[in-house]
Short mmCIF file of all heavy atoms in Angstrom, two decimals:
data_model
loop_
_atom_site.label_atom_id
_atom_site.label_comp_id
_atom_site.label_asym_id
_atom_site.label_seq_id
_atom_site.Cartn_x
_atom_site.Cartn_y
_atom_site.Cartn_z
N LEU A 5 97.01 103.94 111.36
CA LEU A 5 97.89 102.92 111.92
C LEU A 5 97.21 101.55 111.92
O LEU A 5 97.85 100.53 111.65
CB LEU A 5 98.29 103.31 113.35
CG LEU A 5 99.29 104.46 113.45
CD1 LEU A 5 99.36 104.98 114.89
CD2 LEU A 5 100.67 104.03 112.97
N ILE A 6 95.92 101.52 112.21
CA ILE A 6 95.17 100.25 112.16
C ILE A 6 95.16 99.73 110.74
O ILE A 6 95.38 98.53 110.49
CB ILE A 6 93.74 100.45 112.69
CG1 ILE A 6 93.75 100.73 114.19
CG2 ILE A 6 92.89 99.21 112.40
CD1 ILE A 6 92.40 101.08 114.78
N LYS A 7 94.92 100.62 109.79
CA LYS A 7 94.90 100.22 108.38
C LYS A 7 96.26 99.69 107.95
O LYS A 7 96.37 98.67 107.26
CB LYS A 7 94.49 101.41 107.52
CG LYS A 7 94.34 101.08 106.04
CD LYS A 7 93.84 102.30 105.27
CE LYS A 7 93.66 101.97 103.79
NZ LYS A 7 93.20 103.15 103.02
N MET A 8 97.31 100.37 108.40
CA MET A 8 98.67 99.93 108.08
C MET A 8 98.95 98.56 108.68
O MET A 8 99.53 97.68 108.03
CB MET A 8 99.67 100.95 108.64
CG MET A 8 101.13 100.62 108.40
SD MET A 8 102.16 101.93 109.13
CE MET A 8 103.79 101.31 108.72
N PHE A 9 98.52 98.35 109.91
CA PHE A 9 98.72 97.08 110.59
C PHE A 9 98.09 95.93 109.81
O PHE A 9 98.71 94.89 109.58
CB PHE A 9 98.09 97.19 111.98
CG PHE A 9 98.29 95.98 112.87
CD1 PHE A 9 99.54 95.46 113.08
CD2 PHE A 9 97.21 95.40 113.51
CE1 PHE A 9 99.73 94.36 113.91
CE2 PHE A 9 97.38 94.31 114.35
CZ PHE A 9 98.65 93.79 114.54
N TYR A 10 96.86 96.11 109.36
CA TYR A 10 96.16 95.05 108.65
C TYR A 10 96.51 94.97 107.18
O TYR A 10 96.61 93.88 106.62
CB TYR A 10 94.65 95.21 108.83
CG TYR A 10 94.17 94.69 110.15
CD1 TYR A 10 93.95 95.56 111.21
CD2 TYR A 10 94.01 93.34 110.36
CE1 TYR A 10 93.55 95.08 112.44
CE2 TYR A 10 93.61 92.84 111.58
CZ TYR A 10 93.39 93.72 112.62
OH TYR A 10 93.01 93.24 113.84
N ASN A 11 96.69 96.08 106.52
CA ASN A 11 97.03 96.05 105.10
C ASN A 11 98.34 95.33 104.85
O ASN A 11 98.49 94.56 103.92
CB ASN A 11 97.10 97.47 104.52
CG ASN A 11 95.75 97.99 104.09
OD1 ASN A 11 94.74 97.33 104.30
ND2 ASN A 11 95.73 99.15 103.50
N GLN A 12 99.32 95.59 105.70
CA GLN A 12 100.61 94.96 105.48
C GLN A 12 100.55 93.47 105.76
O GLN A 12 101.19 92.66 105.11
CB GLN A 12 101.67 95.63 106.36
CG GLN A 12 101.90 97.06 105.91
CD GLN A 12 103.14 97.65 106.50
OE1 GLN A 12 104.22 97.39 106.00
NE2 GLN A 12 102.99 98.44 107.53
N LYS A 13 99.71 93.10 106.75
CA LYS A 13 99.55 91.68 107.05
C LYS A 13 98.90 90.93 105.89
O LYS A 13 99.28 89.83 105.53
CB LYS A 13 98.73 91.54 108.34
CG LYS A 13 98.39 90.13 108.76
CD LYS A 13 97.05 89.67 108.24
CE LYS A 13 95.93 90.55 108.71
NZ LYS A 13 94.62 90.07 108.19
N ASN A 14 97.89 91.57 105.28
CA ASN A 14 97.14 90.91 104.22
C ASN A 14 97.76 91.07 102.84
O ASN A 14 97.26 90.54 101.86
CB ASN A 14 95.72 91.46 104.19
CG ASN A 14 94.89 90.97 105.36
OD1 ASN A 14 95.02 89.83 105.77
ND2 ASN A 14 94.06 91.83 105.91
N ASN A 15 98.83 91.87 102.77
CA ASN A 15 99.50 92.11 101.49
C ASN A 15 98.54 92.70 100.46
O ASN A 15 98.47 92.28 99.31
CB ASN A 15 100.13 90.82 100.95
CG ASN A 15 101.22 91.12 99.93
OD1 ASN A 15 101.83 92.18 99.97
ND2 ASN A 15 101.46 90.18 99.05
N ILE A 16 97.76 93.67 100.91
CA ILE A 16 96.76 94.29 100.04
C ILE A 16 97.40 95.37 99.17
O ILE A 16 98.12 96.22 99.65
CB ILE A 16 95.64 94.93 100.89
CG1 ILE A 16 94.89 93.84 101.66
CG2 ILE A 16 94.67 95.72 100.02
CD1 ILE A 16 93.89 94.38 102.65
N ASN A 17 97.12 95.33 97.88
CA ASN A 17 97.58 96.37 96.97
C ASN A 17 96.44 97.34 96.73
O ASN A 17 95.77 97.32 95.71
CB ASN A 17 98.05 95.76 95.63
CG ASN A 17 99.28 94.90 95.83
OD1 ASN A 17 100.07 95.13 96.73
ND2 ASN A 17 99.43 93.90 94.99
N GLY A 18 96.16 98.16 97.71
CA GLY A 18 95.05 99.10 97.62
C GLY A 18 95.49 100.47 97.18
O GLY A 18 96.64 100.67 96.80
N PRO A 19 94.60 101.44 97.22
CA PRO A 19 94.92 102.78 96.75
C PRO A 19 95.95 103.49 97.62
O PRO A 19 96.66 104.36 97.15
CB PRO A 19 93.56 103.51 96.83
CG PRO A 19 92.78 102.74 97.85
CD PRO A 19 93.22 101.33 97.69
N THR A 20 96.02 103.10 98.91
CA THR A 20 96.98 103.75 99.79
C THR A 20 98.37 103.17 99.63
O THR A 20 99.36 103.87 99.57
CB THR A 20 96.55 103.61 101.27
OG1 THR A 20 95.24 104.17 101.40
CG2 THR A 20 97.50 104.36 102.17
N PHE A 21 98.45 101.85 99.51
CA PHE A 21 99.72 101.18 99.37
C PHE A 21 99.81 100.55 97.97
O PHE A 21 99.04 99.66 97.64
CB PHE A 21 99.88 100.07 100.42
CG PHE A 21 99.78 100.56 101.83
CD1 PHE A 21 98.61 100.42 102.54
CD2 PHE A 21 100.85 101.20 102.43
CE1 PHE A 21 98.52 100.87 103.84
CE2 PHE A 21 100.76 101.66 103.73
CZ PHE A 21 99.59 101.49 104.44
N GLY A 22 100.76 101.00 97.19
CA GLY A 22 100.92 100.46 95.85
C GLY A 22 101.56 99.09 95.88
O GLY A 22 101.98 98.60 96.92
N PRO A 23 101.68 98.43 94.72
CA PRO A 23 102.22 97.08 94.66
C PRO A 23 103.61 96.94 95.26
O PRO A 23 103.96 95.89 95.77
CB PRO A 23 102.24 96.79 93.15
CG PRO A 23 101.18 97.66 92.58
CD PRO A 23 101.21 98.90 93.42
N LEU A 24 104.40 98.00 95.22
CA LEU A 24 105.75 97.93 95.76
C LEU A 24 105.82 98.35 97.22
O LEU A 24 106.86 98.30 97.84
CB LEU A 24 106.69 98.82 94.93
CG LEU A 24 106.81 98.46 93.46
CD1 LEU A 24 107.75 99.45 92.77
CD2 LEU A 24 107.34 97.04 93.27
N ALA A 25 104.68 98.79 97.74
CA ALA A 25 104.70 99.40 99.07
C ALA A 25 104.31 98.45 100.18
O ALA A 25 104.53 98.75 101.33
CB ALA A 25 103.76 100.60 99.10
N VAL A 26 103.75 97.31 99.84
CA VAL A 26 103.16 96.46 100.87
C VAL A 26 103.96 95.18 101.04
O VAL A 26 104.38 94.55 100.10
CB VAL A 26 101.71 96.11 100.50
CG1 VAL A 26 101.07 95.31 101.62
CG2 VAL A 26 100.93 97.38 100.25
N SER A 27 104.15 94.80 102.30
CA SER A 27 104.76 93.53 102.62
C SER A 27 104.01 92.96 103.81
O SER A 27 103.19 93.64 104.40
CB SER A 27 106.24 93.72 102.94
OG SER A 27 106.86 92.49 103.20
N ASP A 28 104.27 91.71 104.16
CA ASP A 28 103.56 91.17 105.31
C ASP A 28 104.40 91.32 106.58
O ASP A 28 105.51 91.80 106.56
CB ASP A 28 103.17 89.71 105.07
CG ASP A 28 104.37 88.82 104.79
OD1 ASP A 28 105.45 89.13 105.34
OD2 ASP A 28 104.22 87.84 104.06
N CYS A 29 103.83 90.88 107.69
CA CYS A 29 104.49 91.09 108.98
C CYS A 29 105.80 90.33 109.12
O CYS A 29 106.60 90.64 109.98
CB CYS A 29 103.54 90.67 110.11
SG CYS A 29 102.34 91.95 110.52
N TYR A 30 106.00 89.34 108.30
CA TYR A 30 107.23 88.57 108.41
C TYR A 30 108.44 89.34 107.90
O TYR A 30 109.55 89.09 108.31
CB TYR A 30 107.10 87.26 107.62
CG TYR A 30 106.18 86.26 108.27
CD1 TYR A 30 104.85 86.18 107.89
CD2 TYR A 30 106.63 85.43 109.28
CE1 TYR A 30 103.99 85.28 108.49
CE2 TYR A 30 105.78 84.52 109.89
CZ TYR A 30 104.46 84.44 109.48
OH TYR A 30 103.61 83.57 110.08
N THR A 31 108.22 90.26 106.99
CA THR A 31 109.35 90.94 106.36
C THR A 31 109.31 92.45 106.52
O THR A 31 110.23 93.13 106.12
CB THR A 31 109.38 90.62 104.85
OG1 THR A 31 108.14 91.04 104.26
CG2 THR A 31 109.59 89.14 104.61
N ASP A 32 108.27 92.98 107.11
CA ASP A 32 108.11 94.42 107.16
C ASP A 32 108.00 94.91 108.60
O ASP A 32 107.05 94.59 109.30
CB ASP A 32 106.86 94.84 106.37
CG ASP A 32 106.90 96.32 106.01
OD1 ASP A 32 107.39 97.11 106.83
OD2 ASP A 32 106.45 96.65 104.91
N ASN A 33 109.00 95.69 109.02
CA ASN A 33 109.02 96.22 110.38
C ASN A 33 107.87 97.19 110.62
O ASN A 33 107.53 97.49 111.76
CB ASN A 33 110.36 96.93 110.62
CG ASN A 33 110.56 97.35 112.05
OD1 ASN A 33 110.22 96.62 112.97
ND2 ASN A 33 111.10 98.54 112.25
N GLY A 34 107.24 97.68 109.56
CA GLY A 34 106.13 98.61 109.70
C GLY A 34 104.96 98.01 110.45
O GLY A 34 104.27 98.70 111.20
N CYS A 35 104.70 96.73 110.26
CA CYS A 35 103.61 96.06 110.95
C CYS A 35 103.84 96.09 112.46
O CYS A 35 102.94 96.40 113.24
CB CYS A 35 103.52 94.62 110.46
SG CYS A 35 102.10 93.70 111.07
N TYR A 36 105.07 95.79 112.86
CA TYR A 36 105.43 95.83 114.27
C TYR A 36 105.34 97.25 114.83
O TYR A 36 104.77 97.48 115.91
CB TYR A 36 106.85 95.29 114.46
CG TYR A 36 107.44 95.57 115.83
CD1 TYR A 36 107.03 94.84 116.94
CD2 TYR A 36 108.40 96.57 115.99
CE1 TYR A 36 107.57 95.10 118.19
CE2 TYR A 36 108.94 96.84 117.24
CZ TYR A 36 108.52 96.10 118.33
OH TYR A 36 109.05 96.36 119.57
N GLN A 37 105.89 98.22 114.09
CA GLN A 37 105.89 99.60 114.57
C GLN A 37 104.47 100.16 114.66
O GLN A 37 104.16 100.95 115.55
CB GLN A 37 106.75 100.48 113.66
CG GLN A 37 108.24 100.19 113.71
CD GLN A 37 108.86 100.48 115.07
OE1 GLN A 37 108.23 101.06 115.95
NE2 GLN A 37 110.09 100.08 115.25
N ALA A 38 103.60 99.76 113.73
CA ALA A 38 102.20 100.20 113.80
C ALA A 38 101.53 99.66 115.06
O ALA A 38 100.78 100.37 115.74
CB ALA A 38 101.45 99.74 112.55
N ALA A 39 101.81 98.41 115.39
CA ALA A 39 101.24 97.80 116.59
C ALA A 39 101.72 98.51 117.85
O ALA A 39 100.94 98.81 118.76
CB ALA A 39 101.59 96.32 116.65
N VAL A 40 103.02 98.77 117.91
CA VAL A 40 103.59 99.46 119.07
C VAL A 40 103.00 100.86 119.20
O VAL A 40 102.65 101.31 120.30
CB VAL A 40 105.13 99.53 118.97
CG1 VAL A 40 105.70 100.43 120.05
CG2 VAL A 40 105.72 98.13 119.08
N ALA A 41 102.88 101.56 118.09
CA ALA A 41 102.31 102.91 118.11
C ALA A 41 100.87 102.90 118.61
O ALA A 41 100.46 103.77 119.39
CB ALA A 41 102.38 103.53 116.71
N LEU A 42 100.10 101.91 118.18
CA LEU A 42 98.72 101.80 118.64
C LEU A 42 98.66 101.60 120.16
O LEU A 42 97.80 102.15 120.85
CB LEU A 42 98.01 100.66 117.93
CG LEU A 42 97.65 100.92 116.46
CD1 LEU A 42 97.21 99.62 115.78
CD2 LEU A 42 96.55 101.98 116.35
N GLY A 43 99.60 100.82 120.67
CA GLY A 43 99.66 100.61 122.11
C GLY A 43 99.99 101.89 122.86
O GLY A 43 99.40 102.21 123.89
N LYS A 44 100.94 102.65 122.34
CA LYS A 44 101.37 103.88 123.01
C LYS A 44 100.29 104.96 122.96
O LYS A 44 100.03 105.64 123.95
CB LYS A 44 102.65 104.40 122.35
CG LYS A 44 103.88 103.57 122.62
CD LYS A 44 105.11 104.17 121.95
CE LYS A 44 106.37 103.41 122.31
NZ LYS A 44 107.57 103.99 121.66
N ILE A 45 99.66 105.12 121.80
CA ILE A 45 98.64 106.16 121.65
C ILE A 45 97.34 105.76 122.34
O ILE A 45 96.62 106.60 122.88
CB ILE A 45 98.38 106.45 120.15
CG1 ILE A 45 99.68 106.93 119.48
CG2 ILE A 45 97.30 107.52 119.97
CD1 ILE A 45 99.58 107.01 117.95
N GLY A 46 97.03 104.47 122.33
CA GLY A 46 95.77 103.99 122.87
C GLY A 46 95.63 104.14 124.37
O GLY A 46 94.54 103.93 124.92
N ARG A 47 96.71 104.52 125.06
CA ARG A 47 96.65 104.69 126.51
C ARG A 47 95.96 105.98 126.93
O ARG A 47 95.70 106.21 128.10
CB ARG A 47 98.07 104.65 127.09
CG ARG A 47 98.74 103.30 126.97
CD ARG A 47 100.15 103.31 127.52
NE ARG A 47 101.06 104.14 126.75
CZ ARG A 47 102.36 104.22 126.98
NH1 ARG A 47 102.89 103.54 127.98
NH2 ARG A 47 103.13 104.99 126.24
#
């Protein structure tokens, strides 16, 4: 989830997320959901 949070923000095309899989926080709800999940699990 941490990797997802940062990878999507940085628009990284790494081995986990292919070129079509990554977007930044402005357009991808995944960044928000990853942050919320980290808050819920981190308790």
